[in-house]
Amino acid sequence: MAPAKSASEISEASPLVRIRSLLPGLARAEQRVAKVVLDNPQVVAHRSITEVAEAAGTSETTVTRFCKAIGVGGYPELRIALAADTARTAARIDRDLGSDIAPTDDLSQVVGKVAFADARAVEETADQLDIATLSAVVDAVAGAGRVDVYGVGASAFVAADLQQKLHRIGRVSFAWSDTHIMLTSAAVLGSSDVAFGISHTGATADTVEALRVARERGATTVALTNFPRSPISEVADHVLTTAARETTFRSGAMASRIAQLTVIDCLFIGVAQKHLDSARNALESTYEAVGGHRLGPRPDGRRKAREAGK
């Protein structure tokens, strides 16, 4: 369990993000407390612990236990963090964009709410991202002989994006989404390699199994998930987390991608910085390699390679 944070520390990031990420691993009574908090955080910020316990149909002791489970010292600290978070959110909301998408919303409202939710996912993911863990993953990937990336469903698209980014700067990388190929890939990895598993729920059996096999072979294993206490964390040396929300029309698989891609972009830039000169040359070479298949001049106004050589 994570150590308790002070009110000042937790107020810097949204406590609601942490509650949502830890929700599946909480005890049933604690989940009821979490639901009360998530449903109306601005009201809970002004309620007594007795009122919250009654609303959740549980005891004050359970509320206190819930606070400790999410890394807060106690109920007073949680109230302070909730008050700070709701104030920040209110300052950003121009209209009722933070609410769920309703079947009766017109397209203008849908666009506004989707844009707000996507921007919020990026902000909250960045706020809660553990920089020390990200730094360790950057070092591992930058020094790896080979990086194999695993993901199925929506996460497969994110895995392919990471593989393509690493490949463009000359890092040996492969992305797999087929279970059998993931397992055979993991079976031939070694101590100089990295296995990177992507799963929003952290409970995708195929990805978890592939990471487990890779770890048994001595590879460094990394997980990218929305839920840090999910099964994938048990087979990962490093766990990177996102903060994606589910809504009526945006399932976890859909909402997770923009948050996952935010982390992937940060990781990629960190790795590129470790190999700055070679990464720059590789990016320029790969850009020029496909230049002949673009119409018109380059966006930066420079001539294409074939034209420059004439």
Side-chain angles (χ1 to χ4, degrees):
M1 183 180 297
K5 296 181 179 181
S6 67
S8 61
E9 289 175 323
I10 197 168
S11 65
E12 295 176 0
S14 173
L16 303 180
V17 172
R18 183 162 179 79
I19 293 171
R20 282 193 295 270
S21 71
L22 297 178
L23 186 59
L26 297 176
R28 187 166 299 179
E30 293 170 359
Q31 288 183 348
R32 293 201 301 271
V33 178
K35 187 177 186 306
V36 170
V37 175
L38 293 172
D39 285 349
N40 213 335
Q42 63 269 30
V43 172
V44 173
H46 300 285
R47 280 185 172 181
S48 68
I49 188 172
T50 303
E51 291 173 315
V52 171
E54 290 177 353
T58 188
S59 65
E60 295 179 15
T61 301
T62 299
V63 176
T64 300
R65 193 163 56 242
F66 161 77
C67 292
K68 292 182 178 179
I70 65 169
V72 186
Y75 187 67
E77 289 82 0
L78 176 63
R79 287 182 59 188
I80 293 172
L82 289 174
D85 184 65
T86 53
R88 286 195 302 268
T89 301
R92 281 194 292 260
I93 298 178
D94 180 44
R95 293 175 291 149
D96 187 22
L97 298 178
S99 61
D100 202 354
I101 298 173
T104 56
D105 284 346
D106 61 32
L107 280 178
S108 176
Q109 291 172 306
V110 169
V111 170
K113 289 183 177 181
V114 168
F116 177 85
D118 285 352
R120 189 78 169 130
V122 172
E123 291 174 357
E124 292 184 340
T125 292
D127 285 345
Q128 60 78 55
L129 190 59
D130 189 309
I131 302 302
T133 300
L134 178 62
S135 179
V137 174
V138 166
D139 289 340
V141 172
R146 163 177 169 172
V147 180
D148 278 26
V149 193
Y150 309 130
V152 299
S155 294
F157 297 106
V158 181
D161 183 77
L162 174 57
Q163 186 273 333
Q164 190 264 353
K165 281 181 165 65
L166 293 176
H167 186 69
R168 280 201 65 190
I169 59 173
R171 312 309 300 166
V172 178
S173 180
F174 304 91
W176 311 112
S177 59
D178 178 90
T179 303
H180 287 203
I181 299 179
M182 287 161 63
L183 291 172
T184 54
S185 144
V188 297
L189 296 181
S191 58
S192 63
D193 304 317
V194 169
F196 196 112
I198 303 173
S199 171
H200 171 71
T201 63
T204 307
D206 314 63
T207 308
V208 172
E209 186 179 5
L211 271 198
R212 178 185 58 77
V213 172
R215 195 181 204 184
E216 290 173 352
R217 297 301 186 273
T220 298
T221 53
V222 181
L224 176 57
T225 180
N226 208 68
F227 303 98
R229 293 184 183 174
S230 56
I232 200 170
S233 301
E234 299 174 4
V235 293
D237 298 313
H238 307 288
V239 179
L240 296 170
T241 53
T242 56
R245 305 188 190 196
E246 296 186 9
T247 66
T248 305
F249 294 100
R250 290 167 62 82
S251 68
M254 293 171 62
S256 66
R257 275 177 290 185
I258 190 168
Q260 290 172 343
L261 289 169
T262 297
V263 178
I264 293 304
D265 279 350
C266 294
L267 170 63
F268 166 71
I269 292 172
V271 173
Q273 288 177 326
K274 295 285 184 181
H275 304 279
L276 192 56
D277 290 338
S278 61
R280 279 176 175 167
N281 292 334
L283 287 171
E284 182 67 18
S285 296
T286 54
Y287 188 99
E288 296 292 355
V290 297
H293 293 269
R294 295 189 180 94
L295 300 176
R298 286 173 43 138
D300 59 9
R302 294 167 57 188
R303 290 186 300 168
K304 298 173 184 176
R306 293 178 185 175
E307 296 172 346
K310 290 180 181 179

